[in-house]
Amino acid sequence: MVSKRACLLFTCFPNLFLMRFTVKYLAVCAAFGLFLMTACRPTLDDLSSILESTIVSGDPAATSASTPQITETSPPTPVPSATPTSTSTPTPTPSPTPLSVADLFDQLSASVARISTGGRIGSGVLLEDGYVLTNAHVVWPDDSAIITFPDGDEFEDVPIADVDLLADLALLGPIETDLTPVVFEDAEDLRVGSDVLLIGYPGDFSRSPRPTLTETLLSRKREQSQMGLTLFQVSSPVAGGQSGGIALLPDGKVIGLTGNRITEAQFGLVTSGADIAPRIERMLSEEGVGSPNRGADETEADTRHVFSIKGSTGPQKIFMSDVTAGSEFEVTIDSSSNAALFITSPTLADMMLVDETTYGKEHISLEALESGVHYVIALKGPSSQGVFTLTSNLPLTPYRDPDDNQMLSLGDVYEGVIDFPGDVDGFSLFLTEGEEINITASSLMIDPLLTIYPAEYEEEYAVYDNDSGDGVIGTEAEVTYKAPHTGAYKLAITDASIVNGAGGYIVSLQEPYEGAPTPVSPKPTPEPIDSDFGDMKLYESDVFSFSIQYPRAYTNQSNTFDCEAYTACFADTTDPDFNFLAISEGEIGGPGAAQTLDEVAERMKTLGATVVEGIEWVGSEEWMTAQGDRAIVLNFSAPDGSIRFKVFTTSPNDKNIFSVMYFYSDPEMEPLINFIFNSYQR
């Protein structure tokens, strides 16, 4: 299970534009956050991992356009002779000697190739009509690959005919070769415990690749009913580079394509050969997820693009560029509105986010570590409007993602794709008050995370799910949602692990069934609190009996890396001035930690004056809260006044500690800051 904070840290891009503060500001915020995690004994939530990895990286199989269909032939009906005739006793014919494992390997491995593209390797198998079948994750999102057979024949720039990102399949070619094509056969009646052989190229980056033979056992069968797939679980893991190889029986029968590997559990998955042919037919008919409706629009490639970004769900514009390892990749976005830039390669070897200002330019200069497709994602803030100009030193091609801003309703089953690491697909739906709807998100290639929330509510009222469902390997997301009112709702699907890169999924919206998860509903929006500084909201601790008010216009930053070391954070992302409110809760008196409120304050003062360059302690104040609790307020500032922060800390019972930090740039904010500190209650 992945925590809400971990899931949204890198993947939910609607939050990434909030990370707009300069490096200097972030250094101050982070330093005090880290202090509070060492000087005090934090709560369990503070110590939770920011990013929990998952154990899945996809790999199933398919077959070629003209792959022969497996049909049963009935024996001919015997016709009686008019006159019986004598029949000579047949001479016994010796049965052919079964091929040895070595013979089978020699015979079949010649048609198993190594596939390489974009710094990745995998395996592939030759089919009829010159098509080569592999896994989609081996080649996606490239449009061509290099195919190398064991005899040394190499085919460069082989086009990707189409992909099926639901079943993790890709077709390359066609190519011209005299090699013998491989035919997949139906073996879904195979018994657990049967011997299975794997042929592929695990870990083979050599210039003269040679296929590898692996002996394993069928340990289980797994079904994905929504996708119509049977997967054979084998007892040995499918190593990197093995993806797209073949699985066969000791009698030479080829039964499937290797692909999924479950590293932590030390087993692999093989897509059944019986399910391959229909998938191939679908790809060749351009009905799959790799159809012309998805992908780069090559006619629009340019080094300069002017555009607007619409919609509150998935507020982003996606581009692709072909980058060479070692080269400089420079991208700039310019707007009078709030924007951010994110660049990533499919393997995450190259990844950078920049969002340092609320208005003006954002710029990324990246020295690429790997060659191939790189994604450039332009992001806008939730209330941002206007026109954005994107420029680059390399051509940028707009990317079409048909999954964004689709309208769904009860009874729909939708096939979508997480196109790149961190992609978020946003959907809309309409629900009536009290309506219950069961939502599942299933995938072989990614670990789906689904989020549903009322459209007019803030994200803090969202309902999340990662692994509550079933699925082939238990990574299906499922939630039964009860609408708190009649109106529009948002549904977002993303990959909780991010490391899987990309993959297809099925999202299904059905009526709750017997045994479905208990219906859940978001918390109601609290009524605003009137004050001399406008409407306020109330932050209440989930652990201790602390509360404090903050401006209603401030948005929750708890799912950004700015807030990693704090219990909660809030900021005004529409104000060009820097305003960031952070809250920390914990206990004092633990081993090696401060023992008293005065010791906590002294450590804060020392840290602020020494750890953060250019920040000075300028004074302390003794406060008394409305309930008679002693508090200490520390004041810090840069010599030029470009950044200031105040820290309010109290310990009402000499055990629990509550700190509120306000980072700001405009001194006229101090009356509001003092009001926030004085609103403390226990």
Side-chain angles (χ1 to χ4, degrees), residues 100-128:
S100 66
V101 170
D103 292 334
L104 289 172
F105 177 76
D106 290 342
Q107 183 182 85
L108 291 169
S109 64
S111 300
V112 179
R114 187 186 69 180
I115 312 295
S116 55
T117 183
R120 293 160 289 162
I121 65 166
S123 304
V125 55
L126 180 67
L127 306 174
E128 285 192 348

Side-chain angles (χ1 to χ4, degrees), residues 349-366:
D350 294 319
M351 183 172 65
M352 184 176 292
L353 165 74
V354 62
D355 189 8
E356 296 182 352
T357 59
T358 306
Y359 302 98
K361 291 184 177 180
E362 303 288 354
H363 177 77
I364 286 181
S365 181
L366 175 73

Side-chain angles (χ1 to χ4, degrees), residues 68 94 128 195 217 308 328 331 385 388 448 533 659:
E128 285 192 348
D195 292 326
L217 294 174
S308 61
E328 286 292 328
V331 184
Q385 302 293 331
F388 301 83
F533 297 92
S659 292

Side-chain angles (χ1 to χ4, degrees), residues 40 73 93 117 226 300 302 331 353 366 421 432 441 519 553 569 592 653 656:
C40 309
T73 304
T93 302
T117 183
Q226 281 188 306
E300 298 293 329
D302 204 338
V331 184
L353 165 74
L366 175 73
T432 58
C569 304
N653 52 16
N656 301 333

Side-chain angles (χ1 to χ4, degrees), residues 77 80 159 181 193 201 214 246 353 409 473 486 530 552 558 585 608 637:
T77 305
Y201 292 81
T214 302
I246 58 173
L353 165 74
S409 58
I473 47 179
T486 298
D530 292 330
R552 186 185 184 189
S558 297
E585 307 166 11
S637 177

Side-chain angles (χ1 to χ4, degrees), residues 1-71:
M1 181 69 68
V2 180
S3 69
K4 179 178 74 173
R5 179 178 301 176
C7 297
L8 297 178
L9 177 61
F10 289 112
T11 57
C12 287
F13 282 153
N15 286 334
L16 290 182
F17 61 81
L18 301 177
M19 306 174 199
R20 59 182 177 85
F21 311 127
T22 65
V23 173
K24 182 176 181 180
Y25 294 159
L26 289 176
V28 177
C29 298
F32 267 79
L34 292 174
F35 163 77
L36 289 165
M37 295 183 73
T38 55
C40 309
R41 187 167 64 219
T43 64
L44 180 61
D45 180 64
D46 295 326
L47 294 177
S48 64
S49 170
I50 290 300
L51 188 60
E52 301 175 20
S53 62
T54 56
I55 62 173
V56 187
S57 64
D59 278 64
T63 301
S64 125
S66 321
T67 303
Q69 302 296 311
I70 301 170
T71 58

